[in-house]
Amino acid sequence: MQYAILIYETPESFAGRANDDEYEPTLVAWRAYHKALVDAGIFVAGDPLLGPETATTIRIKGGQREIQDGPYANTKEQLAGFQILELPSLDAAIEWASRCPSAAIGAVEVRPLAPAVRDRVIR
Amino acid sequence: VTDHAGAARRVVEGVARQSYGRLVAYLAARTRDVAAAEDALGDALAAALTVWPRDGVPRSPEAWLLTTARNRLIDRARHVRVHADAEYTLQVLVSEPEEGMTERAVPDDRLKLLFVCAHPAIDPVSHTPLMLQTVLGLDAAAIARAFVVAPTTMGQRLVRAKAKIRDAGIAFEVPEAHELPLRLDAVLRAIYAAFGTGWEDVPHDDVRARDLVTEAIWLARVLLELLPDEPEVHGLLALMLYCHSRRAARRDRAGAFVPLSEQDPAAWDEAMILEAESELALASRAGRMGRFQLEAAIQSVHADRRRTDMTDWNAITTLYEGLVRIAPTLGAVVGRAAAVAEAMGAEAGLRLLLDPDDAAVATYQPYWAVRGHLLTQLGRTADARGAFERAIALADDPAVKRYLTRAME
């Protein structure tokens, strides 16, 4: 099965990226984590995202485009990145999500992908 | 023909009672689809009621049911093959060697199923209902009655939990050693919740409530068979047996509630107490203390009253202190205060009770009952009355309400 690992971080954690000295230990942790995912042969895809201040939310209402500055959900912790991992079970996904450096400072959500829906879209 | 049908029906009921959880666990562990496994087994049991009276009861009824249920699952998966999960079911079931099931005993996957039911990714309110349904075969309506929720609410909870198990891909496996203590604790708590639901919340003369108590003890026995070396499993079984041994003594002839301190030990079930003692002794051999062993040890001190004619409140106080340290539940904190009051006086006990304005105690009936008793002993009659009134309002059992009303007056 494939699982999405959705990574949520605090504003402080986003801000920390700008300071090289402050961010270095986090990068070291991420490099090690990423290497472990690749070595285990479970890494499918993934990337970090820029902060929620760069987000734009779009809705079509009554045929009109409604564009709004900011992320979809107005919560303290914001989506900061994602990964797609190939794993045998939710339990394995929880194990790998627990090792994600952001789990200790923000929160990490685990969700299975929906291959049945994908197959209906991509025929 | 009627005799045949009757005999076959009894065999079907017997196999269903003994093997239901084992068969659901076997099928679900291979497909991760608990609901489909239950449906397929339900179909197989229905088929047995027609086929066995006609053709005779098969040599291995369990294997017959399993093969029939497995074929149902394969048929169903072929029908809905468009889905990726159906494809997975099909592959797993078809690759399973059939002779493996008919010749040997069905492998026991109930432990895996118990761990799935109490998985941290499942809403805790569903842990106990899932166990009662999947391992014991209780229907949603009966579970809903025991938990005093609407049948539709309970039905939805169970459906949602089973969909999560299937769709999120929860593993049917026994947790690894580093995870086992926490995961096992969730299983034990879910079993104890079934016991507590049968014990506390429903009036004691309710047959269904007593049934849930028996089912919880049965679940603990199943777990013990599968994990014979875990001291907390022995501890939980001992705890439930001690409490259950006093069942008959909790009511007098007129049906009035009799508190533990006023019970006649001659009315306790001696065989059950002896079994509890031996479970507790087995638990202590592992040298790993835990919450359920401590709670059982407290009940063991109470049980000693049948021999010594007195209760060693100092021993109970020490055990409660240990309990509050490792598992500071509200019940443990209130129990400690009551024990300290017996050992050292009401004043000392009252000091250990949480503040009455604490939100945690607002709806916890035993807190208000203990508070009422302690304030009465201290001569603070008006305050005691307020506490008893709250306890009476919070009690579900009419006999307990009557007892508290008498205590207040």
Side-chain angles (χ1 to χ4, degrees):
Chain A
M1 283 178 80
Q2 291 192 345
Y3 290 85
I5 309 286
L6 305 171
I7 295 150
Y8 291 85
E9 289 182 5
T10 59
E12 297 76 35
S13 156
F14 276 105
R17 293 177 179 180
N19 181 327
D20 282 351
D21 289 345
E22 194 186 314
Y23 202 50
E24 188 53 28
T26 309
L27 284 176
V28 170
W30 270 102
R31 280 186 207 114
Y33 178 57
H34 185 256
K35 183 172 186 303
L37 294 175
V38 173
D39 289 352
I42 59 175
F43 185 80
V44 179
D47 262 302
L49 302 176
L50 283 178
E53 69 284 356
T54 65
T56 308
T57 304
I58 294 102
R59 290 179 181 84
I60 303 295
K61 282 206 173 149
Q64 291 291 312
R65 213 191 258 177
E66 199 178 88
I67 299 176
Q68 197 188 324
D69 178 27
Y72 165 66
N74 210 354
T75 50
K76 183 172 172 280
E77 278 149 343
Q78 287 286 337
L79 190 62
F82 68 91
Q83 293 170 326
I84 310 291
L85 305 180
E86 178 72 50
L87 293 165
S89 68
L90 176 66
D91 302 75
I94 291 172
E95 279 294 313
W96 282 101
S98 319
R99 295 174 186 137
C100 170
S102 295
I105 42 173
V108 178
E109 181 179 327
V110 174
R111 279 243 217 144
L113 298 194
V117 177
R118 181 185 53 209
D119 291 350
R120 288 159 71 193
V121 175
I122 309 168
R123 283 171 184 276
Chain B
V1 177
T2 325
D3 277 358
H4 273 305
R9 179 175 294 276
R10 278 192 298 280
V11 176
V12 173
E13 280 166 4
V15 177
R17 169 75 191 159
Q18 279 307 310
S19 311
Y20 186 88
R22 190 188 286 257
L23 295 172
V24 166
Y26 178 88
L27 294 166
R30 273 143 195 83
T31 62
R32 286 182 182 169
D33 194 335
V34 177
E38 288 173 326
D39 288 349
L41 184 56
D43 286 352
L45 287 166
L49 286 173
T50 16
V51 176
W52 296 1
R54 194 187 62 211
D55 303 348
V57 174
R59 203 157 45 93
S60 168
E62 209 181 51
W64 188 95
L65 286 170
L66 191 57
T67 306
T68 308
R70 176 176 161 275
N71 290 339
R72 296 278 166 153
L73 279 176
I74 293 172
D75 285 349
R76 187 172 162 275
R78 286 205 172 112
H79 262 338
V80 291
R81 197 161 194 168
V82 280
H83 290 292
D85 50 337
E87 188 65 40
Y88 173 76
T89 300
L90 205 50
Q91 277 171 16
V92 172
L93 288 173
V94 171
S95 65
E96 198 76 23
E98 187 155 353
E99 65 275 18
M101 298 191 301
T102 45
E103 297 305 317
R104 280 174 275 133
V106 178
D108 199 341
D109 290 319
R110 284 177 299 176
L111 186 57
K112 296 175 186 170
L113 182 56
L114 284 168
F115 278 113
V116 166
C117 290
H119 196 281
I122 300 288
D123 185 345
V125 302
S126 302
H127 289 181
T128 305
L130 267 178
M131 278 183 190
L132 294 172
Q133 182 156 76
T134 62
V135 184
L136 299 177
L138 267 61
D139 68 33
I143 300 169
R145 276 198 302 276
F147 283 81
V148 203
V149 300
T152 47
T153 309
M154 185 54 78
Q156 283 161 1
R157 248 180 229 171
L158 286 161
V159 166
R160 203 182 310 130
K162 288 176 209 167
K164 173 103 191 243
I165 293 167
R166 180 193 62 210
D167 297 339
I170 290 180
F172 278 74
E173 59 193 19
V174 175
E176 288 173 38
H178 73 277
E179 270 193 302
L180 191 66
L182 267 180
R183 295 286 308 277
L184 180 60
D185 188 53
V187 172
L188 296 172
R189 273 187 282 127
I191 294 175
Y192 192 47
F195 184 81
T197 302
W199 189 245
E200 308 275 5
D201 287 337
V202 193
H204 192 58
D205 36 13
D206 190 316
V207 176
R208 291 184 309 264
R210 278 211 304 275
D211 282 348
L212 213 48
V213 165
T214 319
E215 301 293 10
I217 291 174
W218 201 71
L219 271 178
R221 290 190 198 283
V222 169
L223 189 59
L224 194 57
E225 201 183 297
L226 303 166
L227 284 176
D229 299 325
E230 284 299 324
E232 280 291 89
V233 184
H234 289 284
L236 174 65
L237 180 56
L239 170 61
M240 295 193 296
L241 289 170
Y242 278 125
C243 295
H244 198 37
S245 75
R246 300 198 291 258
R247 180 198 44 198
R250 293 183 90 218
R251 286 289 187 279
D252 67 13
R253 275 175 214 281
F257 173 74
V258 184
L260 176 54
S261 59
E262 290 164 31
Q263 285 173 18
D264 176 8
W268 295 345
D269 184 326
E270 181 68 17
M272 221 177 271
I273 294 177
L274 291 177
E275 193 192 350
E277 308 269 70
S278 108
E279 287 301 328
L280 196 52
L282 285 170
S284 67
R285 270 204 233 155
R288 277 185 282 139
M289 191 38 78
R291 172 209 161 169
F292 289 110
Q293 292 170 74
L294 277 169
E295 290 200 46
I298 290 167
Q299 299 310 320
S300 158
V301 178
H302 283 300
D304 278 344
R305 180 154 67 83
R306 75 198 197 283
R307 288 192 295 242
T308 60
D309 214 26
M310 51 85 74
T311 302
D312 184 348
W313 286 106
N314 286 319
I316 291 181
T317 300
T318 308
L319 291 165
Y320 265 117
E321 307 227 298
L323 186 60
V324 167
R325 210 169 307 133
I326 63 168
T329 60
L330 201 46
V333 171
V334 171
R336 177 181 59 170
V340 166
E342 292 284 352
M344 290 182 280
E347 187 80 59
L350 195 62
R351 268 200 302 277
L352 286 173
L353 270 187
L354 294 170
D355 193 275
D357 295 329
D358 197 314
V361 303
T363 59
Y364 189 62
Q365 185 258 328
Y367 171 89
W368 296 101
V370 168
R371 192 174 175 81
H373 283 294
L374 298 187
L375 290 169
T376 304
Q377 287 171 35
L378 293 169
R380 291 166 58 183
T381 328
D383 292 342
R385 200 174 173 86
F388 275 128
E389 274 168 359
R390 181 85 77 104
I392 292 161
L394 292 170
D396 293 314
D397 185 341
V400 171
K401 275 186 200 288
R402 283 194 294 275
Y403 164 77
L404 290 167
T405 309
R406 272 205 319 279
M408 182 172 70
E409 285 151 2

